[in-house]
Amino acid sequence: MGQRPITFLRQVVALCTYPNLLDSPSFPEDAKKRARRILQGCGGNSLGSYSASQGINCIREDVASYIERRDGGVPADPDNIYLTTGASDGIATILKILVSGGGKSRTGVMIPIPQYPLYSAAISELDAIQVNYYLDEENCWALNVNELRRSLNEAKAYCNPKVLCIINPGNPTGQVQNRKCIEDVIHFAWEEKLFLLADEVYQDNVYSEGCQFHSFKKILYEMGPEYYNNVELASFHSTSKGYMGECGYRGGYMEVINLHPEIKGQLVKLLSVRLCPPVSGQAAMDIVVNPPIPGEESYSQFIKEKECVLNNLAKKAKLTEDMFNKVPGIHCNPLQGAMYAFPRIFIPSKAIEEAKAHKMAPDMFYCMKLLEETGICVVPGSGFGQREGSYHFRMTILPPVEKLKILLEKVKDFHIKFLEKYA
């Protein structure tokens, strides 16, 4: 997509991978300092050794410091931090320890619709029960506690709902939850004794005026000890999104709080079966949580690169929203965060009939036609879940601005022709 990697992150990982470079004058001292610290935490001072199953100690300490800074001083314990193979691995692991029972007592996992399909896949693989709650499209994909309650009460008839998953900022929907909404969700989880999963991998990707990322951990702490000491919460972050985009390193972490000590023992045991997350990914995660600070020689270049990526994404979020909303039969909510548009598309009844004849979901039919006629590949809304009778697709906003403009024009032309053909 043309996004350049963050120089400092690549420098530190390079130094860790090939320590002979620590003598090279072409690497800055602050990068060398971090690489030495990471290598000292590795067995035999090498990235090629297994690490502890929970992750390298000094990196977990850096993650805890990052969380404290991010959340304005809310304490974080390195012992509650687990480094993971991307956020996906952490989410799947936590679900694994939470799922149990049979028949009507089988664990139900509440997930937002539309959702990121990792959740439905993991739930299916564990033979757990998927419990859908719908985000409110008319209200910018907001999460409504009444909808959570409806979903929970209906699910109690056929399973035991124990887990509530939240994606904030949203994927594929791009909404950023406000403080009040998060408080309501936490109160609901406390009331119903639900285990909260907060997928916060897009925490750096917030674009809309008046929107701000609030971590579930911070709000939970500020709601007081009755909540903070009782609600079980696992929060996830990753190297794959944000301004870094380093998905191939498979770096991530989870912070798990209020887990019963015996269960914690089982979690560590479960993690040790997969030995450890990739150590190079752990090193990359360390740079995300321990970037250059003012006064260090790499700071100005780092901040310039980071802001360039995030400012560009903000510009593209606005451009995408504006252009889609000019097209008849397409409606796109504001892209408050993350890196996708999830517009609603009108599909005429003739096209729906033809899709049925091809045994395809109507939006899949639409997306295949778009691909065949323009070469543009988007994901149909039916892959994420959507309200009956509504149709969407998900498109990333990652291409460079000039390419994105051309792409959006092509989608517009295609959509108008599609409506004419099937009117």
Side-chain angles (χ1 to χ4, degrees):
M1 293 287 124
Q3 183 178 313
R4 310 296 309 151
I6 299 293
T7 306
F8 188 75
L9 187 146
R10 290 292 180 96
Q11 284 173 329
V12 177
V13 175
L15 290 162
C16 288
T17 308
Y18 190 59
N20 293 13
L21 294 172
L22 287 162
D23 300 327
S24 160
S26 47
F27 285 81
E29 208 42 59
D30 46 3
K32 290 178 180 176
K33 187 176 114 188
R34 281 166 179 74
R36 285 191 192 98
R37 182 164 178 271
I38 292 167
L39 289 169
Q40 278 161 9
C42 295
N45 283 16
S46 169
L47 224 52
S49 307
Y50 286 127
S51 77
S53 298
Q54 212 173 325
I56 294 169
N57 271 341
C58 67
I59 298 180
R60 284 164 43 215
E61 286 164 9
D62 288 347
V63 171
S65 304
Y66 161 80
I67 292 170
E68 287 184 0
R69 285 196 310 276
R70 179 198 70 189
D71 291 346
V74 175
D77 180 354
D79 200 40
N80 291 335
I81 308 289
Y82 304 80
L83 300 181
T84 57
T85 309
S88 304
D89 166 58
I91 292 164
T93 302
I94 288 291
L95 285 174
K96 209 174 271 184
I97 62 163
L98 292 174
V99 171
S100 64
K104 283 188 175 182
S105 64
R106 189 70 178 154
T107 302
V109 181
M110 299 178 69
I111 62 170
I113 297 294
Q115 54 115 14
Y116 174 52
L118 160 75
Y119 290 93
S120 47
I123 291 165
S124 170
E125 194 180 330
L126 294 167
D127 212 16
I129 307 295
Q130 178 175 323
V131 177
N132 295 342
Y133 66 87
Y134 288 89
L135 300 174
D136 182 1
E137 184 170 11
E138 308 308 316
N139 195 7
C140 206
W141 299 112
L143 198 170
N144 184 320
V145 170
N146 293 332
E147 169 59 14
L148 288 180
R149 193 159 279 119
R150 176 208 62 79
S151 166
L152 180 85
N153 290 338
E154 284 180 17
K156 282 177 177 171
Y158 55 87
C159 69
N160 176 17
K162 284 200 298 200
V163 189
L164 172 56
C165 302
I166 311 286
I167 309 173
N168 179 48
N171 172 10
T173 42
Q175 83 289 11
V176 178
Q177 290 178 4
N178 63 38
R179 187 190 189 94
K180 169 84 171 75
C181 173
I182 296 173
E183 285 174 356
D184 290 347
V185 171
I186 290 171
H187 178 74
F188 176 77
W190 171 79
E191 213 172 33
E192 299 290 348
K193 298 188 169 43
L194 297 171
F195 193 113
L196 270 176
L197 260 57
D199 178 341
E200 298 176 333
V201 299
Y202 296 101
Q203 57 189 263
D204 288 307
N205 303 102
V206 177
Y207 316 122
S208 287
E209 290 287 317
C211 282
Q212 191 189 343
F213 170 74
H214 301 283
S215 78
F216 266 73
K217 160 96 180 291
K218 176 177 191 265
I219 306 289
L220 179 61
Y221 185 81
E222 289 170 355
M223 285 173 75
E226 182 60 32
Y227 294 94
Y228 185 66
N229 296 327
N230 291 300
V231 175
E232 295 161 301
L233 169 70
S235 314
F236 305 90
H237 195 18
S238 160
T239 59
S240 303
K241 315 295 178 197
Y243 55 90
M244 307 77 70
E246 296 285 12
C247 7
Y249 278 116
R250 308 310 299 128
Y253 74 76
M254 58 183 177
E255 181 186 24
V256 189
I257 60 172
N258 291 327
L259 204 56
H260 187 284
E262 274 180 49
I263 307 294
K264 199 170 180 175
Q266 295 299 325
L267 174 60
V268 173
K269 198 187 290 184
L270 183 60
L271 288 169
S272 66
V273 174
R274 61 100 168 100
L275 303 176
C276 69
V279 181
S280 52
Q282 296 185 44
M285 192 73 242
D286 188 67
I287 304 316
V288 175
V289 297
N290 183 23
I293 54 173
E296 287 186 309
E297 62 182 298
S298 302
Y299 178 74
S300 62
Q301 186 185 359
F302 166 78
I303 214 74
K304 193 172 145 199
E305 290 176 353
K306 174 182 173 176
E307 285 178 355
C308 174
V309 171
L310 292 174
N311 291 341
N312 261 327
L313 283 168
K315 200 183 297 175
K316 293 186 285 193
K318 192 79 187 91
L319 171 76
T320 305
E321 177 199 337
D322 291 347
M323 283 191 71
F324 274 147
N325 284 328
K326 285 182 187 143
V327 184
I330 295 186
H331 175 262
C332 186
N333 272 329
L335 279 65
Q336 298 173 336
M339 40 186 69
Y340 314 99
F342 195 67
R344 186 167 66 204
I345 50 176
F346 171 70
I347 299 183
S349 49
K350 265 172 80 175
I352 294 172
E353 290 307 312
E354 194 170 323
K356 278 182 187 157
H358 287 86
K359 295 188 168 51
M360 283 167 116
D363 50 6
M364 180 64 175
F365 175 75
Y366 177 96
C367 292
M368 287 306 288
K369 284 268 182 257
L370 176 69
L371 178 62
E372 287 160 8
E373 291 180 28
T374 66
I376 295 167
C377 180
V378 296
V379 188
S382 46
F384 302 93
Q386 55 200 349
R387 281 202 184 273
E388 191 66 38
S390 72
Y391 305 107
H392 303 78
F393 63 77
R394 186 190 83 164
M395 186 189 96
T396 80
I397 57 167
L398 294 172
V401 173
E402 290 316 308
K403 256 192 194 160
L404 186 63
K405 280 180 184 164
I406 297 165
L407 191 147
L408 290 166
E409 281 294 339
K410 283 188 168 184
V411 173
K412 174 185 150 187
D413 295 344
F414 165 83
H415 186 78
I416 290 166
K417 274 193 216 138
F418 184 89
L419 291 187
E420 281 168 5
K421 181 177 177 183
Y422 292 103

